[in-house]
Short mmCIF file of all heavy atoms in Angstrom, two decimals:
data_model
loop_
_atom_site.label_atom_id
_atom_site.label_comp_id
_atom_site.label_asym_id
_atom_site.label_seq_id
_atom_site.Cartn_x
_atom_site.Cartn_y
_atom_site.Cartn_z
N SER A 289 177.48 24.36 137.85
CA SER A 289 176.73 25.35 137.08
C SER A 289 177.11 25.36 135.60
O SER A 289 176.44 26.02 134.79
CB SER A 289 176.97 26.75 137.66
OG SER A 289 176.50 26.85 138.97
N GLN A 290 178.18 24.67 135.25
CA GLN A 290 178.71 24.81 133.89
C GLN A 290 177.75 24.36 132.79
O GLN A 290 177.70 24.99 131.73
CB GLN A 290 180.06 24.11 133.78
CG GLN A 290 181.14 24.87 134.54
CD GLN A 290 182.54 24.43 134.16
OE1 GLN A 290 182.74 23.50 133.37
NE2 GLN A 290 183.53 25.10 134.72
N PRO A 291 176.99 23.28 132.96
CA PRO A 291 176.05 22.93 131.88
C PRO A 291 175.06 24.04 131.57
O PRO A 291 174.81 24.34 130.39
CB PRO A 291 175.35 21.68 132.44
CG PRO A 291 176.34 21.07 133.37
CD PRO A 291 177.02 22.24 134.01
N LEU A 292 174.51 24.68 132.59
CA LEU A 292 173.57 25.77 132.38
C LEU A 292 174.27 26.98 131.76
O LEU A 292 173.76 27.60 130.82
CB LEU A 292 172.91 26.18 133.69
CG LEU A 292 171.99 27.42 133.62
CD1 LEU A 292 170.85 27.19 132.63
CD2 LEU A 292 171.46 27.78 135.00
N VAL A 293 175.46 27.31 132.27
CA VAL A 293 176.21 28.44 131.74
C VAL A 293 176.55 28.21 130.28
O VAL A 293 176.40 29.10 129.43
CB VAL A 293 177.49 28.67 132.57
CG1 VAL A 293 178.39 29.70 131.90
CG2 VAL A 293 177.14 29.13 133.98
N ALA A 294 176.99 27.00 129.95
CA ALA A 294 177.32 26.69 128.56
C ALA A 294 176.09 26.78 127.66
O ALA A 294 176.16 27.28 126.53
CB ALA A 294 177.93 25.29 128.46
N GLU A 295 174.95 26.32 128.15
CA GLU A 295 173.71 26.39 127.38
C GLU A 295 173.32 27.85 127.11
O GLU A 295 172.92 28.20 125.98
CB GLU A 295 172.60 25.68 128.14
CG GLU A 295 171.25 25.69 127.41
CD GLU A 295 170.15 25.02 128.21
OE1 GLU A 295 170.46 24.41 129.26
OE2 GLU A 295 168.98 25.11 127.80
N LEU A 296 173.45 28.70 128.12
CA LEU A 296 173.09 30.11 127.96
C LEU A 296 174.00 30.80 126.94
O LEU A 296 173.54 31.51 126.05
CB LEU A 296 173.20 30.83 129.31
CG LEU A 296 172.14 30.47 130.35
CD1 LEU A 296 172.54 30.99 131.73
CD2 LEU A 296 170.78 31.04 129.94
N LEU A 297 175.32 30.59 127.07
CA LEU A 297 176.25 31.25 126.17
C LEU A 297 176.14 30.70 124.74
O LEU A 297 176.22 31.45 123.77
CB LEU A 297 177.68 31.10 126.70
CG LEU A 297 177.96 31.78 128.05
CD1 LEU A 297 179.40 31.52 128.48
CD2 LEU A 297 177.70 33.28 127.97
N ALA A 298 175.94 29.41 124.62
CA ALA A 298 175.77 28.83 123.28
C ALA A 298 174.50 29.36 122.63
O ALA A 298 174.48 29.65 121.42
CB ALA A 298 175.72 27.31 123.38
N GLY A 299 173.46 29.53 123.41
CA GLY A 299 172.21 30.03 122.86
C GLY A 299 172.30 31.44 122.35
O GLY A 299 171.55 31.83 121.43
N SER A 300 173.22 32.24 122.91
CA SER A 300 173.38 33.62 122.46
C SER A 300 174.49 33.77 121.43
O SER A 300 174.79 34.87 120.98
CB SER A 300 173.69 34.53 123.65
OG SER A 300 174.93 34.18 124.24
N GLY A 301 175.11 32.65 121.07
CA GLY A 301 176.18 32.69 120.07
C GLY A 301 177.49 33.23 120.60
O GLY A 301 178.34 33.67 119.82
N THR A 302 177.69 33.21 121.92
CA THR A 302 178.91 33.72 122.53
C THR A 302 179.99 32.65 122.52
O THR A 302 179.81 31.58 123.11
CB THR A 302 178.65 34.15 123.98
OG1 THR A 302 177.65 35.18 124.00
CG2 THR A 302 179.92 34.69 124.63
N PRO A 303 181.13 32.90 121.87
CA PRO A 303 182.22 31.92 121.90
C PRO A 303 182.68 31.71 123.34
O PRO A 303 182.86 32.67 124.09
CB PRO A 303 183.33 32.58 121.07
CG PRO A 303 182.65 33.65 120.27
CD PRO A 303 181.49 34.11 121.09
N HIS A 304 182.86 30.47 123.74
CA HIS A 304 183.24 30.21 125.11
C HIS A 304 183.98 28.89 125.21
O HIS A 304 183.86 28.02 124.35
CB HIS A 304 182.02 30.19 126.04
CG HIS A 304 181.04 29.10 125.70
ND1 HIS A 304 180.13 29.21 124.67
CD2 HIS A 304 180.84 27.87 126.26
CE1 HIS A 304 179.41 28.11 124.61
NE2 HIS A 304 179.83 27.28 125.56
N VAL A 305 184.76 28.77 126.29
CA VAL A 305 185.48 27.54 126.61
C VAL A 305 185.25 27.25 128.09
O VAL A 305 185.32 28.16 128.92
CB VAL A 305 186.99 27.68 126.32
CG1 VAL A 305 187.75 26.44 126.80
CG2 VAL A 305 187.25 27.91 124.84
N LEU A 306 184.98 25.99 128.41
CA LEU A 306 184.79 25.58 129.80
C LEU A 306 186.11 25.08 130.38
O LEU A 306 186.88 24.38 129.70
CB LEU A 306 183.75 24.47 129.90
CG LEU A 306 182.35 24.80 129.39
CD1 LEU A 306 181.44 23.59 129.54
CD2 LEU A 306 181.76 26.00 130.11
N ALA A 307 186.38 25.46 131.63
CA ALA A 307 187.59 25.02 132.32
C ALA A 307 187.22 24.60 133.73
O ALA A 307 186.13 24.90 134.23
CB ALA A 307 188.62 26.14 132.35
N ASP A 308 188.14 23.92 134.39
CA ASP A 308 187.93 23.55 135.78
C ASP A 308 187.83 24.81 136.65
O ASP A 308 188.36 25.87 136.30
CB ASP A 308 189.08 22.68 136.29
CG ASP A 308 189.16 21.34 135.58
OD1 ASP A 308 188.14 20.94 134.96
OD2 ASP A 308 190.23 20.72 135.61
N ASN A 309 187.18 24.67 137.77
CA ASN A 309 187.01 25.79 138.69
C ASN A 309 188.36 26.27 139.21
O ASN A 309 189.19 25.47 139.66
CB ASN A 309 186.13 25.35 139.87
CG ASN A 309 185.59 26.50 140.68
OD1 ASN A 309 186.03 27.65 140.53
ND2 ASN A 309 184.64 26.21 141.55
N VAL A 310 188.58 27.60 139.17
CA VAL A 310 189.84 28.14 139.69
C VAL A 310 189.89 28.08 141.22
O VAL A 310 190.97 28.10 141.81
CB VAL A 310 190.08 29.59 139.21
CG1 VAL A 310 190.22 29.63 137.71
CG2 VAL A 310 188.97 30.52 139.68
N VAL A 311 188.72 28.00 141.87
CA VAL A 311 188.66 27.85 143.33
C VAL A 311 187.73 26.69 143.65
O VAL A 311 186.58 26.88 144.01
CB VAL A 311 188.16 29.13 144.03
CG1 VAL A 311 188.26 28.98 145.55
CG2 VAL A 311 188.97 30.34 143.60
N PRO A 312 188.20 25.46 143.50
CA PRO A 312 187.32 24.31 143.77
C PRO A 312 186.84 24.26 145.22
O PRO A 312 185.75 23.78 145.49
CB PRO A 312 188.20 23.11 143.42
CG PRO A 312 189.60 23.61 143.48
CD PRO A 312 189.55 25.04 143.08
N ARG A 313 187.67 24.78 146.13
CA ARG A 313 187.24 24.92 147.52
C ARG A 313 188.02 26.08 148.13
O ARG A 313 189.08 26.48 147.62
CB ARG A 313 187.47 23.63 148.31
CG ARG A 313 188.89 23.16 148.40
CD ARG A 313 188.99 21.82 149.11
NE ARG A 313 190.37 21.40 149.30
CZ ARG A 313 191.09 20.75 148.40
NH1 ARG A 313 190.56 20.46 147.21
NH2 ARG A 313 192.34 20.40 148.67
N ILE A 314 187.52 26.64 149.19
CA ILE A 314 188.13 27.80 149.81
C ILE A 314 189.58 27.50 150.20
O ILE A 314 189.88 26.46 150.79
CB ILE A 314 187.34 28.25 151.05
CG1 ILE A 314 185.97 28.79 150.63
CG2 ILE A 314 188.09 29.33 151.82
CD1 ILE A 314 186.03 30.05 149.79
N GLY A 315 190.47 28.41 149.84
CA GLY A 315 191.88 28.26 150.17
C GLY A 315 192.68 27.52 149.13
O GLY A 315 193.90 27.38 149.28
N VAL A 316 192.05 27.06 148.05
CA VAL A 316 192.75 26.33 146.99
C VAL A 316 192.64 27.10 145.68
O VAL A 316 191.53 27.46 145.26
CB VAL A 316 192.17 24.90 146.81
CG1 VAL A 316 192.83 24.21 145.61
CG2 VAL A 316 192.37 24.09 148.08
N LEU A 317 193.76 27.38 145.06
CA LEU A 317 193.79 28.03 143.76
C LEU A 317 194.30 27.03 142.75
O LEU A 317 195.40 26.50 142.88
CB LEU A 317 194.68 29.27 143.79
CG LEU A 317 194.83 30.05 142.48
CD1 LEU A 317 193.48 30.57 142.01
CD2 LEU A 317 195.82 31.19 142.64
N ALA A 318 193.50 26.73 141.71
CA ALA A 318 193.84 25.73 140.70
C ALA A 318 193.86 26.41 139.33
O ALA A 318 192.86 26.41 138.61
CB ALA A 318 192.82 24.59 140.72
N PRO A 319 194.99 26.99 138.92
CA PRO A 319 195.01 27.80 137.70
C PRO A 319 195.21 27.04 136.40
O PRO A 319 194.95 27.59 135.32
CB PRO A 319 196.21 28.72 137.94
CG PRO A 319 197.13 27.90 138.80
CD PRO A 319 196.25 27.05 139.67
N GLY A 320 195.66 25.78 136.45
CA GLY A 320 196.12 25.11 135.24
C GLY A 320 195.11 25.02 134.11
O GLY A 320 195.38 25.39 132.98
N SER A 321 193.91 24.54 134.40
CA SER A 321 192.91 24.35 133.36
C SER A 321 192.47 25.67 132.75
O SER A 321 192.36 25.81 131.53
CB SER A 321 191.70 23.61 133.94
OG SER A 321 190.69 23.45 132.98
N ALA A 322 192.23 26.68 133.58
CA ALA A 322 191.81 27.99 133.07
C ALA A 322 192.93 28.64 132.28
O ALA A 322 192.67 29.31 131.27
CB ALA A 322 191.39 28.89 134.23
N ARG A 323 194.16 28.45 132.71
CA ARG A 323 195.30 29.00 131.97
C ARG A 323 195.35 28.41 130.57
O ARG A 323 195.56 29.13 129.58
CB ARG A 323 196.59 28.71 132.75
CG ARG A 323 197.85 29.29 132.13
CD ARG A 323 199.06 28.97 132.99
NE ARG A 323 200.31 29.32 132.33
CZ ARG A 323 201.51 29.03 132.78
NH1 ARG A 323 201.64 28.41 133.95
NH2 ARG A 323 202.59 29.36 132.11
N ARG A 324 195.14 27.10 130.46
CA ARG A 324 195.14 26.47 129.13
C ARG A 324 193.97 26.96 128.29
O ARG A 324 194.09 27.16 127.08
CB ARG A 324 195.08 24.94 129.28
CG ARG A 324 196.36 24.33 129.82
CD ARG A 324 196.33 22.81 129.76
NE ARG A 324 195.32 22.25 130.64
CZ ARG A 324 195.54 21.95 131.93
NH1 ARG A 324 196.72 22.18 132.47
NH2 ARG A 324 194.58 21.41 132.66
N ALA A 325 192.81 27.17 128.92
CA ALA A 325 191.64 27.64 128.18
C ALA A 325 191.84 29.05 127.66
O ALA A 325 191.45 29.37 126.53
CB ALA A 325 190.40 27.58 129.08
N ILE A 326 192.45 29.91 128.46
CA ILE A 326 192.73 31.27 128.01
C ILE A 326 193.71 31.24 126.84
O ILE A 326 193.57 31.99 125.87
CB ILE A 326 193.26 32.12 129.17
CG1 ILE A 326 192.16 32.33 130.21
CG2 ILE A 326 193.78 33.47 128.68
CD1 ILE A 326 192.63 33.01 131.48
N ARG A 327 194.70 30.36 126.92
CA ARG A 327 195.63 30.23 125.79
C ARG A 327 194.90 29.78 124.52
O ARG A 327 195.15 30.30 123.43
CB ARG A 327 196.73 29.22 126.15
CG ARG A 327 197.81 29.08 125.08
CD ARG A 327 198.81 27.99 125.44
NE ARG A 327 199.41 28.23 126.74
CZ ARG A 327 199.44 27.35 127.73
NH1 ARG A 327 198.88 26.16 127.56
NH2 ARG A 327 200.02 27.63 128.86
N GLU A 328 193.97 28.85 124.67
CA GLU A 328 193.19 28.39 123.52
C GLU A 328 192.39 29.53 122.90
O GLU A 328 192.35 29.70 121.67
CB GLU A 328 192.25 27.27 123.96
CG GLU A 328 191.33 26.74 122.87
CD GLU A 328 190.36 25.69 123.39
OE1 GLU A 328 190.66 25.04 124.41
OE2 GLU A 328 189.27 25.55 122.78
N ILE A 329 191.75 30.33 123.76
CA ILE A 329 190.98 31.48 123.27
C ILE A 329 191.90 32.49 122.60
O ILE A 329 191.57 33.06 121.55
CB ILE A 329 190.22 32.14 124.44
CG1 ILE A 329 189.04 31.25 124.87
CG2 ILE A 329 189.73 33.53 124.05
CD1 ILE A 329 187.89 31.22 123.90
N PHE A 330 193.06 32.73 123.18
CA PHE A 330 194.02 33.68 122.61
C PHE A 330 194.40 33.27 121.19
O PHE A 330 194.43 34.10 120.28
CB PHE A 330 195.26 33.74 123.50
CG PHE A 330 196.34 34.68 123.00
CD1 PHE A 330 196.20 36.05 123.12
CD2 PHE A 330 197.49 34.19 122.42
CE1 PHE A 330 197.18 36.92 122.67
CE2 PHE A 330 198.49 35.03 121.97
CZ PHE A 330 198.33 36.40 122.09
N LEU A 331 194.66 31.99 121.00
CA LEU A 331 195.09 31.52 119.69
C LEU A 331 193.94 31.48 118.68
O LEU A 331 194.12 31.79 117.51
CB LEU A 331 195.71 30.13 119.82
CG LEU A 331 197.00 30.05 120.63
CD1 LEU A 331 197.45 28.60 120.78
CD2 LEU A 331 198.09 30.89 119.99
N SER A 332 192.75 31.12 119.15
CA SER A 332 191.64 30.92 118.21
C SER A 332 190.87 32.19 117.90
O SER A 332 190.26 32.29 116.82
CB SER A 332 190.68 29.85 118.75
OG SER A 332 190.14 30.25 120.01
N HIS A 333 190.88 33.16 118.81
CA HIS A 333 190.04 34.34 118.61
C HIS A 333 190.79 35.68 118.66
O HIS A 333 190.44 36.60 117.93
CB HIS A 333 188.91 34.39 119.65
CG HIS A 333 187.87 33.35 119.47
ND1 HIS A 333 188.01 32.08 119.99
CD2 HIS A 333 186.68 33.36 118.83
CE1 HIS A 333 186.95 31.35 119.68
NE2 HIS A 333 186.13 32.11 118.98
N VAL A 334 191.79 35.76 119.52
CA VAL A 334 192.38 37.07 119.79
C VAL A 334 193.42 37.45 118.76
O VAL A 334 193.42 38.58 118.24
CB VAL A 334 192.99 37.10 121.21
CG1 VAL A 334 193.70 38.43 121.46
CG2 VAL A 334 191.91 36.85 122.25
N ILE A 335 194.36 36.54 118.45
CA ILE A 335 195.47 36.88 117.55
C ILE A 335 194.96 37.41 116.21
O ILE A 335 195.35 38.47 115.74
CB ILE A 335 196.38 35.65 117.34
CG1 ILE A 335 197.25 35.44 118.57
CG2 ILE A 335 197.27 35.84 116.14
CD1 ILE A 335 198.27 36.52 118.81
N GLY A 336 194.07 36.66 115.58
CA GLY A 336 193.54 37.11 114.30
C GLY A 336 192.68 38.35 114.43
O GLY A 336 192.64 39.20 113.52
N GLY A 337 191.99 38.49 115.56
CA GLY A 337 191.09 39.62 115.74
C GLY A 337 191.78 40.95 115.88
O GLY A 337 191.14 42.00 115.74
N LYS A 338 193.08 40.97 116.15
CA LYS A 338 193.81 42.23 116.28
C LYS A 338 194.22 42.80 114.92
O LYS A 338 194.69 43.95 114.84
CB LYS A 338 195.04 42.04 117.17
CG LYS A 338 194.67 41.83 118.63
CD LYS A 338 195.88 41.81 119.52
CE LYS A 338 195.47 41.69 120.99
NZ LYS A 338 194.80 42.89 121.49
N HIS A 339 194.08 42.01 113.85
CA HIS A 339 194.35 42.49 112.49
C HIS A 339 195.74 43.09 112.36
O HIS A 339 195.92 44.17 111.78
CB HIS A 339 193.28 43.50 112.06
CG HIS A 339 191.88 42.99 112.21
ND1 HIS A 339 191.38 41.95 111.45
CD2 HIS A 339 190.88 43.37 113.05
CE1 HIS A 339 190.12 41.72 111.81
NE2 HIS A 339 189.80 42.56 112.78
N LEU A 340 196.71 42.39 112.91
CA LEU A 340 198.09 42.87 112.85
C LEU A 340 198.78 42.49 111.55
O LEU A 340 199.82 43.06 111.22
CB LEU A 340 198.89 42.31 114.03
CG LEU A 340 198.36 42.65 115.43
CD1 LEU A 340 199.22 41.98 116.49
CD2 LEU A 340 198.31 44.15 115.64
N SER A 341 198.20 41.53 110.83
CA SER A 341 198.85 41.05 109.61
C SER A 341 197.80 40.58 108.61
O SER A 341 196.78 40.00 108.99
CB SER A 341 199.80 39.88 109.94
OG SER A 341 200.39 39.37 108.77
N SER A 342 198.07 40.86 107.36
CA SER A 342 197.17 40.42 106.29
C SER A 342 197.91 39.68 105.19
O SER A 342 197.36 39.48 104.11
CB SER A 342 196.45 41.64 105.69
OG SER A 342 197.39 42.57 105.17
N ARG A 343 199.13 39.28 105.45
CA ARG A 343 199.89 38.59 104.41
C ARG A 343 200.60 37.37 104.97
O ARG A 343 200.44 37.02 106.14
CB ARG A 343 200.89 39.56 103.77
CG ARG A 343 202.02 40.02 104.69
CD ARG A 343 203.01 40.88 103.92
NE ARG A 343 204.19 41.24 104.71
CZ ARG A 343 205.24 40.45 104.85
NH1 ARG A 343 205.26 39.24 104.29
NH2 ARG A 343 206.28 40.85 105.56
N THR A 344 201.39 36.72 104.14
CA THR A 344 202.17 35.56 104.56
C THR A 344 203.65 35.86 104.38
O THR A 344 204.03 36.82 103.71
CB THR A 344 201.81 34.32 103.72
OG1 THR A 344 202.15 34.57 102.35
CG2 THR A 344 200.32 34.02 103.83
N ASP A 345 204.48 35.01 104.99
CA ASP A 345 205.92 35.17 104.75
C ASP A 345 206.28 34.48 103.45
O ASP A 345 205.40 34.00 102.71
CB ASP A 345 206.73 34.64 105.94
CG ASP A 345 206.70 33.12 106.05
OD1 ASP A 345 205.97 32.46 105.29
OD2 ASP A 345 207.42 32.59 106.94
N ASP A 346 207.57 34.40 103.14
CA ASP A 346 207.98 33.87 101.84
C ASP A 346 207.77 32.37 101.72
O ASP A 346 207.92 31.81 100.63
CB ASP A 346 209.44 34.22 101.54
CG ASP A 346 210.41 33.69 102.59
OD1 ASP A 346 209.95 33.01 103.54
OD2 ASP A 346 211.62 33.97 102.48
N ARG A 347 207.35 31.70 102.80
CA ARG A 347 207.05 30.27 102.74
C ARG A 347 205.56 30.02 102.94
O ARG A 347 205.14 28.89 103.18
CB ARG A 347 207.86 29.51 103.77
CG ARG A 347 209.37 29.53 103.48
CD ARG A 347 210.15 28.76 104.52
NE ARG A 347 209.75 27.36 104.58
CZ ARG A 347 210.11 26.52 105.55
NH1 ARG A 347 210.85 26.96 106.56
NH2 ARG A 347 209.73 25.28 105.54
N GLY A 348 204.76 31.09 102.86
CA GLY A 348 203.32 30.94 102.92
C GLY A 348 202.74 30.85 104.32
O GLY A 348 201.56 30.54 104.49
N ARG A 349 203.53 31.14 105.35
CA ARG A 349 203.05 31.07 106.73
C ARG A 349 202.41 32.39 107.14
O ARG A 349 202.91 33.46 106.79
CB ARG A 349 204.20 30.73 107.68
CG ARG A 349 204.77 29.34 107.48
CD ARG A 349 206.00 29.11 108.33
NE ARG A 349 207.11 29.93 107.90
CZ ARG A 349 208.40 29.58 108.01
NH1 ARG A 349 208.71 28.41 108.53
NH2 ARG A 349 209.36 30.37 107.61
#
Side-chain angles (χ1 to χ4, degrees):
S289 297
Q290 289 195 356
L292 175 60
V293 171
E295 180 182 352
L296 290 167
L297 296 178
S300 64
T302 300
H304 62 281
V305 174
L306 301 179
D308 296 341
N309 195 348
V310 296
V311 186
R313 60 185 185 275
I314 293 295
V316 175
L317 179 61
S321 177
R323 183 179 170 187
R324 289 188 295 272
I326 292 173
R327 184 184 304 127
E328 178 184 335
I329 287 287
F330 179 75
L331 295 175
S332 60
H333 290 85
V334 176
I335 284 293
K338 289 187 176 292
H339 307 293
L340 301 178
S341 177
S342 59
R343 67 175 186 84
T344 63
D345 71 354
D346 58 2
R347 293 180 61 192
R349 293 173 293 211

